[in-house]
Amino acid sequence: MSEINIGLGNHDDKTRLEAKSNYVHFWEKQAKNLFWFSPWTNPLDWNPPFAKWFVGGTINASYNTLDIHQKNKSDKPAIFWEGENGESRILTYHDMWIQVQKFANVLKSLGVKKGDRVTIYLPMIPELPISMLACARIGAIHTVIFSGFSASSIKDRITDSKSKIVITADGGYRRGNIIYLKQVIDEAIVKLDFVQNVIVIERIKNKIKLSSKDLMWNDLMNNISNVCVAEKLDSSHPLYILYTSGTTGKPKGVLHGTGGYLTHLYSTFKWVFDIKDSDIFFCTADIGWVTGHSYIVYGPLLHGATQVMYEGSPDFPDISRIWNIIQKYKITLFYTTPTALRMFMKFGEKIPNSFDLSTLRLLGSVGEPINPEVWKWYFKTIGKEKCPIVDTWWQTETGGIMISALPGLETIPLKPGSGTLPIPGLDISVIDEYGKDVLPNTKGYLVIKNPWPGMLLTLWKDDEKYYEAYWSKYKNCYYAGDYALQDTDGYFWLLGRADDVLKVSGHRIGTAELESCLVSHTDVSESAVCGIPDEIKGEAIIAFVVLKQNVQKNNMTLQNELLLKIRNDIGAIATPAQIYFVSVLPKTRSGKIMRRLLKAIANKEIIGDTSTLENVDSISEIQSIFEQLQESIQKKSE
Ligand code: WT7
């Protein structure tokens, strides 16, 4: 495991020791960097598995991201917005503050109260963070849904959160195409009487059908006061729900609070990205995912940073778009995903080399393990061997970065492919099946042993599932669902998911969700889904399907129907690369599908122990179907 030295190679032992000796006190000190209307009386109420940070303190996320900057930074650009079609907009901290207050008043005028939920289904336009911050200002809970999800997924989420307001746009641009978001919302809310209004932003200015529930953003914003005092909210007041896939058929509504979450983001944005007033930050994530919530909306704005928000696809109109943006806006800090990097790398270094990337001083990676070769390419070709790389491990549930190098705090040798060390104040370990710490260089499960400030409050309206999913495997210890190992220097190496969750282009997709979608097709009796390595996406989805008896359709027709069904029920991001029709699935005697075996077959690995298998013959059938299809795919591509 080779090392790369950037800087002096100093640990900040003082900070690390201080954090270790009393993590509650350590985080309390960090929380003082925020503006509190009233101080807390108890820094942490830990009633496992429920943590309340800074109890008694009152705070507001919108106040901390906007109001506090009005004195010194009101004219500083908060967002340089770059449209996919080349349009651009600049929003200063003052502009953001005014827009947010106006929209907060709009929400109030529609009867939105503290604790009410508001669903946001928008493309990457400034009105998205404005809507979120307006909710935060009045204590409404925002729930953003990624604009790639289908009507049926949205319906489930709106139903679960019981949102009375939905915010959307007439459409959005994606890779030069138009996506008709309003139509999707119309379909999603057909039977949802509790949705009182849909607020529509004009982005593409096409003709849309308006119903009695629909209101236009511009009309609402026209004659409304631009003063809205931020609510003084309890530190644990819910800021947002963000749905994410888990091991069950239904997405989980991860609920985040305010004071602890903001403390985590303030600290990590400073330590990980080493933010300075003059920096121009660019995170390529979509705000529909947690990376965008934490490191486009809340983290950078807490610091009064300037950032670029890009509306579209990284390869539109061509593969040089991102380098173009870096050159145009003189980006200094760049945060992206291994999937994007693998795609850029495929097109060679000539393209990035033809742009001026010399303003870059720090590079980040997030969402999935980064292959060492890709890490080295990023370091050399993009960073010109002068930018440290922060490989940041975290999750929707953790709220903020948990493991990463910290150029804003210390300079330690980097190792391509390792996230390095945990953030000070966090107690992260790798343990075995029985809960014992494993030896160095031994693969085990990643767990978090102390509560941390960005930690989820619970799952929306489901404390039991919250306990079950994260706290039941080990006592009083958060189970992350990832494999990891620690090397002899204590560096963490993340080794992928340990549960039935896939990571496709860095996005989480639960195999159970896909399977329940497939079996809801009238011709399907059973299905099992697993992942296979993919050169660009990291992982690709494949599905094994058993049909009901006497199904007459041919496999091609069925395959198309099933792919369409997944697109309609979940969204295009969940589309399998291949569907295999088999007559039986490998099962244990107790009837559990052995996905491990399917995965081994699909990955051409050794099958291993099959002694618990009820139907050993299934293996050879699946193997031969798999190989036949592989051959025919290969022939087609030749
Ligand atoms: C899962 C969480 C982190 C925000 C975006 C994704 C994987 C995340 C890394 C990394 C290796 C990583 C893990 C984790 N993951 N970052 N730097 N190295 N794996 O959030 O959708 O909640 O997914 O992403 O498997 O559990 P998410």
Side-chain angles (χ1 to χ4, degrees):
M1 296 174 189
S2 59
E3 283 184 6
I4 290 184
N5 266 295
I6 277 227
L8 304 168
N10 283 329
H11 280 76
D12 185 337
D13 289 331
K14 201 174 137 255
T15 305
R16 289 197 175 271
L17 277 174
E18 183 195 332
K20 210 173 172 149
S21 74
N22 187 339
Y23 74 93
V24 178
H25 185 251
F26 175 77
W27 285 118
E28 204 173 3
K29 198 166 139 189
Q30 312 312 318
K32 290 186 179 146
N33 290 312
L34 304 175
F35 176 86
W36 296 82
F37 296 114
S38 56
W40 54 90
T41 46
N42 174 10
L44 174 66
D45 171 7
W46 178 221
N47 176 21
F50 302 99
K52 283 191 183 146
W53 284 89
F54 314 120
V55 185
T58 55
I59 188 163
N60 185 292
S62 150
Y63 194 93
N64 269 280
T65 45
L66 300 173
D67 299 52
I68 59 156
H69 305 309
Q70 296 312 313
K71 198 161 156 237
N72 298 322
K73 292 186 178 177
S74 68
D75 291 336
K76 183 177 176 180
I79 296 176
F80 285 117
W81 178 80
E82 166 98 357
E84 192 181 78
N85 57 4
E87 282 173 57
S88 59
R89 282 166 73 182
I90 301 174
L91 287 102
T92 64
Y93 272 91
H94 186 257
D95 296 335
M96 288 294 289
W97 187 53
I98 296 295
Q99 294 298 309
V100 166
Q101 292 187 81
K102 285 176 79 170
F103 193 61
N105 282 331
V106 166
L107 291 174
K108 273 186 171 172
S109 74
L110 296 174
V112 178
K113 301 214 163 49
K114 185 167 133 179
D116 285 348
R117 277 78 59 206
V118 172
T119 289
I120 307 177
Y121 185 64
L122 284 177
M124 285 283 285
I125 53 176
E127 286 73 15
L128 171 51
I130 290 169
S131 302
M132 293 162 77
L133 293 167
C135 289
R137 196 159 189 93
I138 62 173
I141 304 170
H142 58 72
T143 158
V144 180
I145 304 177
F146 173 61
S147 59
F149 279 112
S150 69
S152 139
S153 298
I154 297 166
K155 183 181 174 183
D156 291 347
R157 288 161 170 79
I158 297 181
T159 306
D160 190 67
S161 65
K162 289 266 168 336
S163 296
K164 65 173 172 192
I165 301 285
V166 176
I167 305 168
T168 190
D170 55 358
Y173 295 105
R174 192 74 192 170
R175 205 167 272 124
N177 298 317
I178 290 176
I179 41 172
Y180 295 96
L181 301 172
K182 172 67 168 58
Q183 276 178 19
V184 182
I185 290 293
D186 286 347
E187 196 187 326
I189 64 161
V190 170
K191 288 190 184 137
L192 307 185
D193 293 337
F194 57 84
V195 175
Q196 182 193 301
N197 290 112
V198 176
I199 301 176
V200 187
I201 296 159
E202 284 179 89
R203 167 64 189 121
I204 56 173
K205 303 197 169 55
N206 62 331
K207 271 221 171 75
I208 48 170
K209 251 197 353 238
L210 292 181
S211 80
S212 57
K213 286 186 179 185
D214 299 337
L215 301 165
M216 298 309 290
W217 172 283
N218 283 342
D219 297 344
L220 295 167
M221 291 287 270
N222 251 342
N223 281 313
I224 196 115
S225 153
N226 61 12
V227 181
C228 173
V229 176
E231 284 278 329
K232 299 181 171 70
L233 302 167
D234 278 344
S235 176
S236 289
H237 184 73
L239 181 60
Y240 65 81
I241 305 170
L242 184 58
Y243 288 91
T244 186
S245 294
T247 50
T248 64
K250 251 185 68 183
K252 298 186 281 203
V254 171
L255 186 69
H256 278 293
T258 309
Y261 176 73
L262 296 181
T263 300
H264 195 139
L265 296 186
Y266 184 93
S267 309
T268 49
F269 198 64
K270 182 169 70 174
W271 298 330
V272 175
F273 296 105
D274 185 31
I275 185 73
K276 303 271 190 287
D277 194 37
S278 54
D279 277 316
I280 315 276
F281 180 71
F282 179 26
C283 168
T284 64
D286 191 289
I287 295 177
W289 310 107
V290 76
T291 308
H293 280 63
S294 294
Y295 297 104
I296 295 179
V297 182
Y298 293 106
L301 299 182
L302 281 174
H303 281 270
T306 295
Q307 69 179 314
V308 169
M309 174 177 176
Y310 172 52
E311 179 187 38
S313 175
D315 55 354
F316 189 83
D318 61 47
I319 194 75
S320 71
R321 186 62 185 268
I322 294 296
W323 318 127
N324 206 316
I325 293 175
I326 292 177
Q327 174 178 281
K328 175 172 171 190
Y329 293 98
K330 303 188 166 36
I331 304 294
T332 58
L333 315 171
F334 178 56
Y335 194 28
T336 194
T337 61
T339 290
L341 292 169
R342 285 189 292 260
M343 178 177 75
F344 298 141
M345 193 173 148
K346 203 179 95 185
F347 287 89
E349 55 182 33
K350 227 171 117 191
I351 299 167
N353 281 349
S354 63
F355 289 86
D356 179 7
L357 307 179
S358 64
T359 49
L360 289 172
R361 68 177 187 88
L362 188 148
L363 305 172
S365 171
V366 62
E368 41 179 329
I370 179 165
N371 341 32
E373 352 38 294
V374 179
W375 194 105
K376 287 178 192 150
W377 185 83
Y378 198 19
F379 185 70
K380 228 178 110 195
T381 307
I382 308 307
K384 315 292 178 205
E385 300 188 9
K386 67 178 174 59
C387 305
I389 292 183
V390 291
D391 174 3
T392 62
W393 178 87
W394 56 295
Q395 307 179 300
T396 305
E397 293 86 345
T398 68
I401 295 168
M402 302 295 277
I403 297 175
S404 172
L406 304 172
L409 189 69
E410 60 188 13
T411 49
I412 59 168
L414 301 172
K415 301 184 194 185
S418 165
T420 76
L421 304 173
I423 306 295
L426 308 180
D427 189 356
I428 304 185
S429 291
V430 181
I431 64 178
D432 65 16
E433 207 50 62
Y434 309 99
K436 266 187 56 191
D437 283 1
V438 297
L439 294 171
N441 293 328
T442 313
K443 180 172 168 177
Y445 300 105
L446 191 82
V447 294
I448 307 167
K449 293 182 168 172
N450 280 335
W452 66 97
M455 181 172 134
L456 70 167
L457 300 174
T458 184
L459 293 177
W460 177 248
K461 295 246 150 73
D462 205 343
D463 288 348
E464 216 161 288
K465 196 163 156 194
Y466 167 63
Y467 167 77
E468 181 58 37
Y470 309 107
W471 303 90
S472 63
K473 189 168 164 79
Y474 300 106
K475 196 172 154 41
N476 293 351
C477 204
Y478 173 89
Y479 172 67
D482 274 357
Y483 286 123
L485 65 77
Q486 261 185 295
D487 66 17
T488 46
D489 293 328
Y491 279 37
F492 283 80
W493 297 77
L494 274 301
L495 305 172
R497 296 291 304 191
D499 54 7
D500 291 320
V501 171
L502 307 179
K503 272 265 149 179
V504 180
S505 301
H507 303 315
R508 238 156 101 166
I509 296 171
T511 51
E513 252 173 90
L514 276 157
E515 288 164 6
S516 77
C517 168
L518 289 167
V519 297
S520 67
H521 185 283
T522 45
D523 296 330
V524 174
S525 92
E526 278 186 303
S527 98
V529 166
C530 67
I532 52 167
D534 181 276
E535 212 188 318
I536 304 281
K537 295 176 177 174
E539 227 173 354
I541 303 167
I542 59 168
F544 294 88
V545 168
V546 179
L547 296 173
K548 288 185 182 153
Q549 271 175 356
N550 305 324
V551 173
Q552 300 296 333
K553 296 176 197 157
N554 71 30
N555 284 0
M556 205 48 167
T557 311
L558 271 165
Q559 160 138 337
N560 290 338
E561 282 182 22
L562 291 173
L563 291 178
L564 190 69
K565 183 157 179 43
I566 287 173
R567 280 171 171 270
N568 288 339
D569 289 5
I570 305 177
I573 51 163
T575 311
Q578 190 63 53
I579 295 178
Y580 298 94
F581 296 97
V582 295
S583 66
V584 58
L585 292 170
K587 284 187 191 162
T588 61
R589 284 188 199 99
S590 57
K592 257 180 80 174
I593 297 171
M594 290 184 79
R595 282 191 198 75
R596 176 177 67 76
L597 294 182
L598 292 171
K599 207 172 165 171
I601 296 172
N603 289 299
K604 302 193 183 93
E605 287 164 0
I606 297 161
I607 303 290
D609 182 16
T610 54
S611 58
T612 56
L613 204 62
E614 166 78 33
N615 45 359
V616 183
D617 292 349
S618 63
I619 295 286
S620 49
E621 185 212 320
I622 294 167
Q623 247 165 347
S624 100
I625 290 178
F626 182 78
E627 276 157 21
Q628 272 170 29
L629 245 168
Q630 289 277 300
E631 261 172 45
S632 77
I633 292 170
Q634 207 153 16
K635 272 203 195 115
K636 260 191 231 155
S637 69
E638 275 165 15

